[in-house]
Amino acid sequence: NSTRLAKMSEREKCIQEIKEELKKKLVAEVASTNNPEYKKFLKDLIIQGMIKLLEEEVVIRARKEDLPYIKSITAECEATFKRYMKEQTGRDYSSKIKLDEQNYMTEAQGAKYGGVVLASTDLKIVCINTMISRLNQCFEELLPQIRTTLFPKK
């Protein structure tokens, strides 16, 4: 039984190392406003968060370095949200974006990796739409396949 527990522990350690390696790659290669794919990803995260919240006004917190880009696309995000909601529901929805320029995304929320945190104006409803939250979600969903690939049964 102790051998089995040690084997499970080593497997978990290996999986966590892979996850940490992915985090490093995110920071080094993806999470930069110089990266056009990251810019598109940010825009999609904002629109998705607006859809999740369905509030008349949303507050966005982001990394300080992402604010100028987000500021430049707020009108486009609002228009895309409005158009998408009309197409999907047949009803008119609109949502205004307010950038929180006093409080930036925290390290605990994933500031190192990028993304956005959207909230209702009273901050009671929060949608954490960050790169690290997405990585964690994907990792959890794919964990069975990852384990099967790394540790096939003999």
Side-chain angles (χ1 to χ4, degrees), residues 137-149:
Q137 182 181 7
C138 290
F139 213 82
E140 285 299 314
E141 288 176 11
L142 294 172
L143 201 52
Q145 289 113 319
I146 293 169
R147 282 194 177 119
T148 302
T149 303

Side-chain angles (χ1 to χ4, degrees), residues 55-70:
E55 294 285 319
E56 289 182 14
E57 184 175 41
V58 296
V59 177
I60 293 180
R61 286 188 179 159
R63 301 184 307 176
K64 187 175 184 175
E65 62 266 31
D66 292 342
L67 283 181
Y69 173 69
I70 292 172

Side-chain angles (χ1 to χ4, degrees), residues 7-97:
K7 187 177 177 181
M8 286 172 59
S9 176
E10 282 301 310
R11 285 182 176 181
E12 186 59 32
K13 184 178 167 187
C14 181
I15 288 171
Q16 290 308 314
E17 286 173 8
I18 291 169
K19 194 174 184 180
E20 289 306 311
E21 208 46 49
L22 284 170
K23 287 179 183 180
K24 288 177 189 172
K25 277 191 162 220
L26 275 179
V27 172
E29 298 174 17
V30 181
S32 165
T33 49
N34 296 327
N35 181 344
E37 290 176 16
Y38 177 67
K39 287 181 170 183
K40 183 186 179 327
F41 187 68
L42 267 180
K43 187 171 107 178
D44 292 344
L45 289 176
I46 292 168
I47 295 165
Q48 184 187 50
M50 293 170 76
I51 293 166
K52 282 183 176 181
L53 292 177
L54 280 180
E55 294 285 319
E56 289 182 14
E57 184 175 41
V58 296
V59 177
I60 293 180
R61 286 188 179 159
R63 301 184 307 176
K64 187 175 184 175
E65 62 266 31
D66 292 342
L67 283 181
Y69 173 69
I70 292 172
K71 219 181 260 191
S72 75
I73 61 165
T74 54
E76 183 183 349
C77 290
E78 291 168 355
T80 302
F81 167 80
K82 187 174 186 170
R83 185 175 53 255
Y84 177 83
M85 294 306 291
K86 180 72 171 176
E87 289 169 3
Q88 297 300 311
T89 67
R91 295 177 53 199
D92 289 322
Y93 286 92
S94 65
S95 182
K96 291 303 248 179
I97 294 173

Side-chain angles (χ1 to χ4, degrees), residues 61-64 67 100-106 109 111:
R61 286 188 179 159
R63 301 184 307 176
K64 187 175 184 175
L67 283 181
D100 187 343
E101 297 184 61
Q102 313 305 304
N103 304 296
Y104 305 112
M105 204 164 74
T106 65
Q109 293 169 323

Side-chain angles (χ1 to χ4, degrees), residues 101-134:
E101 297 184 61
Q102 313 305 304
N103 304 296
Y104 305 112
M105 204 164 74
T106 65
E107 201 64 40
Q109 293 169 323
K112 181 177 178 181
Y113 306 98
V116 291
V117 176
L118 296 94
S120 57
T121 52
D122 60 6
L123 304 177
K124 290 185 179 179
I125 306 169
V126 178
C127 173
I128 298 176
N129 233 356
T130 61
M131 291 280 252
I132 198 66
S133 68
R134 289 310 189 89

